[in-house]
Amino acid sequence: MLKFQEAVKHVSGSAPISTCSETLIARRYVLQQKLGRGSFGTVYLVSDKKAKQGEELKVLKEISVGDLKPNETVEANLEAQLLSKLDHPAIVKFYASFVERESFCIITEYCEGRDLDCKIQEYKEAGKIFTESQIIEWFIQLLLGVNYMHERRILHRDLKAKNIFLKNNLLKIGDFGVSRLLMGSCDLATTFTGTPYYMSPEALKHQGYDTKSDIWSLGCILYEMCCLDHAFTGHNFLSIVLKIVEGNTPSLPDKYPSKLNAVLHSMLNKNPSLRPSAAEILKIPYIDEQLQQNVKCKFTNMALKDKTFNCQQEAARIVNAVQKKVHLQTLRELSEVQKMTPRERMRLRKLNAADEKAKKLKQLAEEKYQENLKRMQELRSRNFQQLSIDVLHESDEQTSKHLIQSQPVTALDYISIGHKEPSENETPGRLCMSEPVEHAEKFL
Ligand code: ADP
Ligand code: MG
């Protein structure tokens, strides 16, 4: 709801930056064109006179300081601070922030492909759909970006198709206008922001916002990429809210793999603690496989072929980010596997499965052994205590004092322990009888 209030907020018409089409802004930027208007100000395409060749085009986001309330100025500063810390190929790059002619300005990377919302509308109007591999690729890019943010304890808070930009067909998360740094050890902050379509049930119910709420929004984006429609729709704000809070979890059409649908369902779990984290989703075998094969291949090829886009660097950074996730050994093995015939691959898969099973069995056996060992040790000391207590009854007062000091076990402790596991005591108990007797004899 706040979003709607923000949308009607008066923004000064005499934006000073727009009058500097001929002059340099901050001694290096020249206005090229207006890209649009955001909640806090106007967005321009600028040319950076000090940038390297081919990297001149940037975005200037202008926020008129005069129009901003003090807390909003803080917010703008926070956006700048937040962005300056982030350096990831799936996140819109922040270059600089400064105050010029009563305006707070942020310079970011220019994404020529506009935002994902535009792209979705374009496809919808043309009656097209995104290919499955395209969706997975984009989804993985978003997961890597979100994981990078969350690892740094940063929440986006307003993940939506409109805040995701396209550059050389790569997705980049942008607009951290409503992001917040997580406060200390507390993982929750409770500000009510964003459009309703992507809002999680807990955010709508004011039950706090955490990393899992970003995951919900990302689930909504995944759905939208597949279906070109919002995951939760309605005629008005309230009907959307009701669907999110109480409605059924939407499913992907049958043409999509059930594994992808399962990922979507887990992300749209009404209970945030049951939703997986971005890191966990990246580890799901179905996603991990595509991360290793598709994304890496695609980006490597792109870096080789698409030199005109000057995106080798970009691709190299993505490959780097991906490679961090993929162990070198795994890569080597992967290339070996790719050379194999289907029969050989099947054999390898079976062998791997058998190995996995053997590993699990070994682990189980080890656990059981440790468990038994622990239990035997426990029983040994219990039997010893039991004998000590028996001895107590027959010994003189002096001995009993000595025993109490050396063995601070009360009869009550013994009873409660013995009472808990009466049947389990039998066999191992007999096994370790001799030792406590010896100890007890010392006191006789
Ligand atoms: P809001 O505050 O409403 O989220 P934004 O500041 O995100 O608005 O964007 C306003 C307009 O500028 C939108 O049309 C958006 O597509 C465009 N825009 C914003 N950032 C970029 C960018 N880095 N590259 C290209 N276009 C952008
Ligand atoms: Mg935006």
Side-chain angles (χ1 to χ4, degrees):
M1 259 201 270
L2 209 97
K3 194 78 189 173
F4 299 144
Q5 285 162 20
E6 281 168 4
V8 294
K9 196 174 61 200
H10 173 70
V11 178
S12 168
S14 57
I17 292 288
S18 58
T19 60
C20 359
S21 55
E22 299 299 316
T23 50
L24 281 182
I25 302 161
R27 278 172 285 151
R28 62 187 289 177
Y29 306 103
V30 177
L31 287 191
Q32 299 288 310
Q33 71 176 87
K34 187 173 157 179
L35 288 174
R37 184 157 250 192
S39 346
F40 285 108
T42 318
V43 181
Y44 300 96
L45 175 67
V46 292
S47 169
D48 180 0
K49 295 296 164 201
K50 292 191 180 167
K52 281 189 225 148
Q53 211 188 357
E55 289 176 16
E56 295 95 343
L57 289 182
K58 289 178 180 168
V59 160
L60 186 153
K61 206 168 173 182
E62 178 210 18
I63 299 135
S64 181
V65 179
D67 285 335
L68 288 178
K69 294 177 200 122
N71 65 328
E72 286 172 337
T73 319
V74 171
E75 248 173 58
N77 251 314
L78 197 66
E79 176 174 4
Q81 266 177 37
L82 266 172
L83 284 165
S84 70
K85 289 197 177 80
L86 304 175
D87 187 19
H88 191 275
I91 294 175
V92 174
K93 182 77 199 110
F94 168 96
Y95 292 114
S97 74
F98 51 85
V99 174
E100 173 99 2
R101 302 190 188 199
E102 288 186 31
S103 290
F104 180 76
C105 300
I106 295 168
I107 303 287
T108 67
E109 183 179 2
Y110 172 54
C111 302
E112 89 297 329
R114 295 189 298 167
D115 57 56
L116 183 62
D117 187 63
C118 290
K119 190 86 176 169
I120 289 172
Q121 291 317 314
E122 184 192 309
Y123 265 60
K124 202 172 169 178
E125 278 158 28
K128 295 193 285 182
I129 55 160
F130 300 119
T131 61
E132 193 185 310
S133 64
Q134 177 67 91
I135 293 168
I136 305 285
E137 230 182 272
W138 280 346
F139 180 51
I140 288 175
Q141 288 166 25
L142 294 176
L143 281 169
L144 290 169
V146 168
N147 183 44
Y148 176 89
M149 279 167 25
H150 287 176
E151 272 177 349
R152 279 151 191 80
R153 303 180 56 72
I154 292 169
L155 299 173
H156 189 284
R157 299 185 146 267
D158 198 15
L159 278 175
K160 57 183 179 185
K162 254 193 181 315
N163 281 340
I164 289 160
F165 299 91
L166 281 122
K167 188 179 183 182
N168 305 328
N169 205 39
L170 299 179
L171 289 193
K172 285 171 184 281
I173 303 165
D175 202 354
F176 287 72
V178 284
S179 305
R180 297 281 186 284
L181 264 174
L182 294 176
M183 306 286 229
S185 62
C186 176
D187 203 28
L188 300 170
T190 42
T191 325
F192 196 86
T193 48
T195 48
Y197 293 117
Y198 304 84
M199 283 174 82
S200 59
E202 67 275 13
L204 286 167
K205 289 192 272 181
H206 282 242
Q207 288 170 346
Y209 193 107
D210 70 2
T211 53
K212 299 298 181 71
S213 317
D214 275 348
I215 295 294
W216 172 281
S217 308
L218 195 56
C220 294
I221 295 168
L222 171 63
Y223 180 92
E224 214 177 325
M225 291 194 293
C226 296
C227 306
L228 308 181
D229 219 340
H230 292 300
F232 301 93
T233 50
H235 298 297
N236 52 39
F237 190 92
L238 200 66
S239 62
I240 301 169
V241 170
L242 279 176
K243 280 222 183 118
I244 295 171
V245 176
E246 290 169 3
N248 294 331
T249 306
S251 289
L252 296 177
D254 289 341
K255 62 174 177 265
Y256 292 102
S258 58
K259 284 177 181 168
L260 188 63
N261 196 37
V263 174
L264 176 86
H265 274 212
S266 67
M267 296 173 86
L268 295 182
N269 196 309
K270 306 248 188 254
N271 180 349
S273 59
L274 296 178
R275 275 172 229 150
S277 66
E280 280 164 352
I281 303 171
L282 284 163
K283 277 186 215 135
I284 295 172
Y286 167 69
I287 298 291
D288 189 43
E289 266 165 37
Q290 322 247 1
L291 174 80
Q292 293 181 36
Q293 291 169 17
N294 297 1
V295 181
K296 190 187 171 287
C297 272
K298 196 91 187 178
F299 290 143
T300 318
N301 289 343
M302 198 178 66
L304 293 173
K305 279 191 227 149
D306 215 355
K307 289 198 174 151
T308 46
F309 271 121
N310 196 20
C311 60
Q312 302 102 305
Q313 239 186 336
E314 195 82 351
R317 288 172 67 205
I318 297 174
V319 170
N320 249 339
V322 172
Q323 272 180 346
K324 263 187 209 162
K325 303 251 160 218
V326 184
H327 198 271
L328 261 175
Q329 184 78 22
T330 323
L331 272 180
R332 243 177 264 132
E333 280 165 12
L334 199 73
S335 70
E336 289 302 312
V337 172
Q338 275 157 357
K339 283 183 217 151
M340 290 177 173
T341 63
R343 192 184 286 262
E344 281 170 332
R345 280 191 209 186
M346 171 71 88
R347 218 179 125 239
L348 184 70
R349 233 175 274 142
K350 278 186 182 163
L351 276 171
N352 280 345
D355 272 358
E356 236 357 80
K357 207 170 167 184
K359 213 164 95 188
K360 274 191 195 142
L361 278 171
K362 199 175 158 210
Q363 197 182 345
L364 201 75
E366 178 68 30
E367 276 168 19
K368 284 281 160 215
Y369 173 76
Q370 292 297 343
E371 210 178 291
N372 278 340
L373 203 71
K374 204 170 144 214
R375 196 176 294 162
M376 266 170 64
Q377 278 164 352
E378 262 173 38
L379 283 166
R380 263 191 205 134
S381 69
R382 265 185 236 155
N383 282 328
F384 169 59
Q385 286 152 16
Q386 185 180 10
L387 281 169
S388 302
I389 290 161
D390 288 346
V391 169
L392 254 174
H393 293 149
E394 288 163 28
S395 63
D396 59 18
E397 223 183 81
Q398 216 178 355
T399 320
S400 75
K401 263 183 202 156
H402 175 81
L403 271 170
I404 288 164
Q405 276 158 14
S406 60
Q407 289 291 322
V409 177
T410 62
L412 198 71
D413 279 338
Y414 167 72
I415 289 163
S416 67
I417 294 165
H419 204 71
K420 255 187 201 165
E421 306 165 14
S423 59
E424 280 178 26
N425 284 351
E426 284 162 24
T427 324
R430 251 177 264 131
L431 277 171
C432 53
M433 272 306 262
S434 61
E435 208 178 311
V437 172
E438 269 170 36
H439 282 283
E441 273 166 357
K442 283 186 196 157
F443 299 105
L444 285 174

